[in-house]
Each structure stands twice: as structure tokens, then as C-alpha cells.
Amino acid sequence: MKAMDLNKARIYVGTYRKYNKGSLQGEWVDMADFYDLEEFRERCVEIHNDEKEPEYMFQDWENIPESLIDEGNLEKNFFELRDELDKLNDTEKEAFWAWAEGNNIKLTQDAYRLVKSFQSSYIGSYASKEDFAEELVRTENDLSDFALSYFDFSKYADDLFDTDYWYKDGYVFRNE
């Protein structure tokens, strides 16, 4: 799952009735303009006020994971997830998407718990597994430079990532 900025999410909102009549009439809507699903729905009503009881059709979208939207539905937790992700820095946001993909996370879960689970698993950004292993050895052990020169960080990384940690797209996560 590629990293997405939910603050840049957009949806093209049409209706099934117009579509079935051969019209793509609708409007692009920036999701950053809305606090919650209710405000978004109110805007959809304004766009298609020429229809009585319109059935909205999301004909295109950007920066929204497929698991949160389809042509007839936007998941109710989209706004909560967007707001929770806003509390993370840019590196953490990118790591979140790697974590979600690596764990096959269902983004429709409670957004607060989802982000807290990510935060408890996320260790940091590293160029390689070996870099993480070396930092771990240097910070948790009082070894001389001489001893460190003989230390096999690659084999230690193999052991770490066979049991306690996992690595994806430059990010290290704790196994849970």
C-alpha cells in the first residue's frame, strides 16, 4: 500500500441516475474541506440538489486507499483516520502505510486504536536491517571498539528479524 496523504484526498461525486442517462455531471470535492462524513454528505446534497433522493456515485478518487472507498461508499472512519494520521510526523505517516500493508491491516478499524497499535510497533527508519542491529548493539551493550570490530551485525540482524522485529521499506517494526 503506497503512502497516501489523506489531507489531499479528493472524490469526484456524481450520481447513478445521471450516469445511467449518459452524464458524468458531478464535481471534484476536496476532503480536507470537511470535518466529518456528515459535512461531506451535505456537500454532496448541494452538488446534486437537482435530484430528489440522489444515489451518489464516486466516479474517481485520489489519495484514498481502496479499502476505504468504492464507487458507492466512503467508509465512515475515513475522517477519523485522517485526523489521527495528522498527529504523526511525515516519516511516521510513511511508516504507517508500510506497517499497514505489511500486516494486512483493515483500515476500517477504529482509527485511534489503529494508530496506537502502529505507534507501539514502530521502532524507526533505517537504511538496512544491519544498521538497526548495529545501533541496537551499540546502545544496549558496553562493548569496546575492538570487540565491535569483530561483531557480525549481519548475522545478529538475521536473528533479530527472525524473531522480534520485521523490516519493510526502510522501517523497523516490533513483532506483536
Side-chain angles (χ1 to χ4, degrees):
M1 183 178 320
K2 70 176 190 162
M4 296 187 185
D5 184 349
L6 298 184
N7 282 311
K8 294 181 180 176
R10 298 171 9 129
I11 300 175
Y12 189 83
V13 181
T15 66
Y16 282 99
R17 181 172 180 241
K18 287 177 178 131
Y19 180 80
N20 289 333
K21 288 185 174 188
S23 172
L24 295 177
Q25 179 190 359
E27 190 174 305
W28 277 102
V29 177
D30 292 325
M31 302 308 285
D33 294 342
F34 308 105
Y35 173 73
D36 60 13
L37 192 57
E38 186 176 323
E39 280 188 7
F40 169 66
R41 287 184 178 149
E42 287 171 8
R43 179 67 184 123
C44 292
V45 169
E46 290 172 12
I47 295 169
H48 296 288
N49 63 7
D50 59 335
E51 285 187 41
K52 187 177 185 180
E53 298 182 34
E55 187 178 359
Y56 303 111
M57 181 180 190
F58 306 139
Q59 296 166 336
D60 198 6
W61 52 84
E62 298 171 354
N63 286 302
I64 303 176
E66 297 292 324
S67 61
L68 293 179
I69 191 170
D70 60 39
E71 74 176 26
N73 182 55
L74 175 66
E75 289 293 331
K76 62 183 178 182
N77 78 326
F78 167 83
F79 294 95
E80 295 156 355
L81 182 58
R82 177 197 64 190
D83 296 344
E84 287 299 320
L85 289 176
D86 269 351
K87 297 173 184 174
L88 303 176
N89 68 40
D90 289 343
T91 302
E92 291 170 330
K93 286 177 188 175
E94 288 184 23
F96 171 85
W97 295 107
W99 171 82
E101 179 180 29
N103 281 320
N104 294 317
I105 297 293
K106 290 183 179 14
L107 297 174
T108 55
Q109 300 176 49
D110 175 81
Y112 176 79
R113 287 190 178 145
L114 189 61
V115 171
K116 288 299 174 200
S117 180
F118 157 74
Q119 289 173 318
S120 71
S121 176
Y122 178 61
I123 302 296
S125 176
Y126 295 87
S128 67
K129 293 177 182 180
E130 292 78 16
D131 283 354
F132 170 71
E134 183 174 347
E135 180 178 301
L136 195 62
V137 167
R138 289 182 185 277
T139 58
E140 293 188 359
N141 298 290
D142 188 23
L143 298 176
S144 69
D145 288 340
F146 177 76
L148 287 171
S149 69
Y150 286 97
F151 201 94
D152 189 339
F153 296 108
S154 180
K155 286 195 183 284
Y156 185 56
D158 288 344
D159 288 345
L160 289 172
F161 288 93
D162 279 344
T163 55
D164 299 329
Y165 302 95
W166 60 281
Y167 184 86
K168 179 158 179 52
D169 299 338
Y171 304 105
V172 174
F173 304 95
R174 184 175 290 111
N175 281 328
E176 295 182 30

